[in-house]
Amino acid sequence: MIGLISATAAGAATRDRLAAAWPDRTRVYEGPVGDAVRAAFAQCEQLVCFLATGAVVRLVAPLLSGKTADPGVVCVDEGGRFAVSLVGGHAGGANELAREVGEVLGAEPVVTTATDAADLPGLDTLGLPVEGDVAGVSRALLDGEAVALRAEVAWPLPPLPVAAEGSYTIRLTDRLVETAERQVVLRPPSLVVGVGASKGAPVEEVLGLIEGVLREAGLSAASVAELATVDAKAEEPGIVEAARRVGVPLVTYSAGELAAVDVPNPSDAPLAAVGTPSVAEAAALVSGGELLVPKRKSAASPAMATCAVVRRPGRGRLAVVGLGPGARDLLTPRAKAELRRASVLVGLDQYVEQIRDLLRPGTRILESGLGAEEERARTAVEEARKGRAVALIGSGDAGVYAMASPALAEASDDIDVVGVPGVTAALAAGAILGAPLGHDHVSISLSDLHTPWEVIERRVRAAAEADIVVTFYNPRSRGRDWQLPKALDILAEHRAPTTPVGVVRNASRPDESARLTTLAALDPATVDMMTVVTVGNTATREIAGRMVTPRGYRWQEEPE
């Protein structure tokens, strides 16, 4: 919950705008300001104070206890001009909150955290437990000193300006190691602990076994991602409470799923009790990985708990990102976030230039020219399989005549794939023309480089006969100058010569041009590969210089 505090009528007015925008996220604290701040500080994860920064500093100073415990505090001036991240920029989420508040109120976010100012991800913002000299290593990164990354476990990280060798070190490991001077240890969630227990097994026995096994194996409890067991034990109090105390979810599998897993130490006892010859080992191994610790029993007599430990492979992450038609303000916030998250960017060289300034320092860029689409898709998938965070970019929406389909044809279930939608050329052109896509519509590429013309022609005829608005992509190039005239002739068999046609070139870019013509008057020679051609249906009209395909929102009469 976000606590909102104000002192004046002007501050309250700005406060109420934010409260109206986030009714489920915020709570307004009334009354004397000091009392309101103290109450919100104790009860909320974050605060937004509509007060002078000096006043907020004096009010929260006596309440501060530590950066990992304090709520994030954002200060907004009464006019709503600035949103200042004051306390808990990283741990308390105040930096991101300042940006969100800025978007709602139209305020300028003010973030002074050094890593944010230098456009570097903070080591304490990577979503991983972190130990060691965070301040010292962060300062070294900021100062451009050599910082080495020692990744003992493959895990997707955002871009970091690291070197092969350096006097400072970032160590990515699930091993139980002490941090050395000038070193930070990042703990990936790479360990899965399979657990079995007899009915009524006390939590102290289950938890003690888990902690002892990890300690003896030299593994860090901070890298445990989950406890896993058979679904018959999903509500076993000792297991459920052990997961709660470790601070991880409890994942369960059916006896049939576990029985299908090949394990080194099967047993008749669990087979008779729950229908599988292994619980602890099978539950740890079912999702794949390396068995680090085979089944161990607790020391009690009789032993009521078993556990096994698996290191699961770090799953790479492939984000297929649509950049939109070209204008920066049509690039979605989600796309921007994925570009900044990726440590590897793969894309067409001209698209890379569009967004190069958005990338974090240290991002590795793999770019190539036209015609290398399948190679780019393979490269992106290969990089993700190495456990990296990869962004594969395409124009418009990456799933529309772009990189998503070849990438997903290459990808298997060994990586995580995220699709990030973008504004398509058809949508951008439609917005410029008016509302040509107001009713049923279809997009057809006229490029026969990868699709036989016979297939394209069949699709054009189907759209013509069905009276559907058609948007043509890739309409005409120097080597393909007859396809567009042929497609227009097919449409003309079913539509009047006066049918409106919209022609948009470089939609949303600085040299954008658009014109409205008719099916009979369109000169194909004026069209190129940077152009989108939208042909209306029999209902499409030109109204006040705009192309409109009416839909009609009155309910159709029911048949008698």
Side-chain angles (χ1 to χ4, degrees):
M1 186 62 65
I2 303 171
L4 307 181
I5 301 103
S6 63
T8 67
T14 309
R15 175 204 68 192
D16 291 344
R17 288 171 54 201
L18 190 62
W22 296 342
D24 298 327
R25 297 179 60 188
T26 58
R27 174 183 171 184
V28 173
Y29 283 79
E30 304 280 7
V33 172
D35 294 342
V37 168
R38 283 188 288 273
F41 200 92
Q43 298 168 3
C44 297
E45 292 82 18
Q46 295 173 319
L47 281 69
V48 179
C49 300
F50 298 83
L51 304 163
T53 53
V56 178
V57 167
R58 286 190 292 272
L59 288 168
V60 302
L63 309 176
L64 300 176
S65 61
K67 63 184 300 181
T68 60
D70 297 330
V73 179
V74 170
C75 182
V76 178
D77 65 289
E78 292 185 344
R81 298 170 302 164
F82 302 100
V84 182
S85 174
L86 196 65
V87 173
H90 287 165
N95 291 351
E96 183 57 32
L97 180 59
R99 297 184 182 101
E100 290 185 82
V101 170
E103 288 184 7
V104 173
L105 300 179
E108 180 72 24
V110 179
V111 176
T112 58
T113 310
T115 49
D116 291 81
D119 204 20
L120 293 173
L123 296 175
D124 54 350
T125 67
L126 302 180
L128 303 178
V130 57
E131 305 165 10
D133 186 11
V134 175
V137 175
S138 296
R139 186 168 55 251
L141 288 170
L142 290 167
D143 291 343
E145 296 191 44
V147 178
L149 174 64
R150 292 175 55 192
E152 300 170 23
V153 179
W155 210 263
L157 293 175
L160 293 165
V162 293
E165 299 292 337
S167 56
Y168 292 83
T169 306
I170 299 171
R171 187 174 179 183
L172 182 69
T173 182
D174 55 19
R175 292 288 175 186
L176 192 61
V177 297
E178 294 292 332
T179 56
E181 187 179 359
R182 297 186 169 190
Q183 183 183 80
V184 160
V185 175
L186 296 175
R187 300 294 190 188
S190 55
L191 303 179
V192 177
V193 179
V195 180
S198 302
K199 185 175 181 179
V203 62
E204 290 76 12
E205 183 173 344
V206 177
L207 189 61
L209 173 64
I210 293 171
E211 293 174 342
V213 163
L214 290 172
R215 185 169 53 251
E216 290 171 13
L219 299 171
S220 172
S223 282
V224 175
E226 60 192 39
L227 300 192
T229 191
V230 66
D231 56 10
K233 298 294 181 180
E235 297 182 3
E236 183 64 41
I239 296 177
V240 172
E241 178 62 15
R244 189 192 71 79
R245 293 192 191 181
V246 177
V248 297
L250 176 63
V251 179
T252 63
Y253 300 96
S254 70
E257 289 176 289
L258 298 186
V261 179
D262 186 24
V263 298
N265 299 292
S267 173
D268 292 334
L271 180 61
V274 294
T276 173
S278 172
V279 174
E281 287 180 340
L285 283 166
V286 69
S287 59
E290 173 191 6
L291 184 63
L292 299 180
V293 182
K295 180 176 69 176
R296 296 284 188 271
K297 293 182 179 181
S298 54
S301 185
M304 299 185 72
T306 61
C307 82
V309 184
V310 160
R311 175 184 288 134
R312 63 181 185 180
R315 290 176 64 86
R317 189 174 190 276
L318 174 61
V320 187
V321 181
L323 300 181
R328 179 57 60 85
D329 59 355
L330 292 181
L331 177 67
T332 67
R334 187 179 300 179
K336 292 179 183 178
E338 289 294 346
L339 294 175
R340 295 174 63 74
R341 176 174 180 167
S343 61
V344 180
L345 180 84
V346 182
L348 180 67
D349 47 13
Q350 64 190 63
Y351 298 153
V352 170
E353 288 307 313
Q354 284 181 218
I355 49 82
R356 191 183 293 272
D357 62 301
L358 296 177
L359 305 177
R360 289 189 185 275
T363 304
R364 187 157 60 96
I365 299 173
L366 304 176
E367 55 187 312
S368 53
L370 285 169
E373 287 75 19
E374 292 183 352
E375 178 187 341
R376 284 196 292 276
R378 283 193 296 270
T379 297
V381 172
E382 289 169 2
E383 291 292 325
R385 283 184 175 140
K386 295 174 183 176
R388 295 173 179 141
V390 182
L392 175 64
I393 58 175
S395 66
D397 182 282
V400 179
Y401 303 123
M403 294 305 301
S405 54
L408 268 61
E410 291 286 337
S412 53
D413 62 0
D414 57 345
I415 62 173
D416 295 324
V417 179
V418 178
V420 181
V423 177
T424 67
L427 294 176
I432 294 165
L433 294 169
L437 310 181
H439 212 305
D440 297 334
H441 55 275
V442 63
S443 295
I444 299 176
S445 171
L446 294 183
S447 173
D448 56 358
L449 296 177
H450 303 290
T451 304
W453 174 254
E454 293 76 15
V455 175
I456 298 172
E457 181 175 341
R458 188 164 66 246
R459 293 169 180 172
V460 175
R461 288 192 181 280
E465 293 171 2
D467 196 27
I468 295 176
V469 175
V470 181
T471 297
F472 289 123
Y473 279 70
N474 307 312
R476 184 178 182 274
S477 67
R478 291 179 180 178
R480 296 184 302 99
D481 59 1
W482 59 267
Q483 288 89 344
L484 179 59
K486 178 63 175 175
L488 296 175
D489 288 343
I490 294 171
L491 292 176
E493 295 173 10
H494 300 270
R495 301 181 193 183
T498 56
T499 299
V501 176
V503 181
V504 180
R505 188 176 190 278
N506 284 333
S508 88
R509 300 187 180 188
D511 56 346
E512 167 190 298
S513 64
R515 69 183 189 278
L516 195 58
T517 182
T518 65
L519 189 56
L522 175 61
D523 179 5
T526 62
V527 173
D528 62 13
M529 287 289 286
M530 305 303 294
T531 305
V532 170
V533 177
T534 301
V535 182
N537 65 10
T538 56
T540 305
R541 298 288 183 268
E542 179 182 345
I543 302 174
R546 303 180 184 91
M547 186 176 177
V548 180
T549 302
R551 181 170 187 267
Y553 284 89
R554 290 175 296 180
W555 290 104
Q556 300 296 314
E557 293 184 4
E558 294 288 340
E560 295 292 337

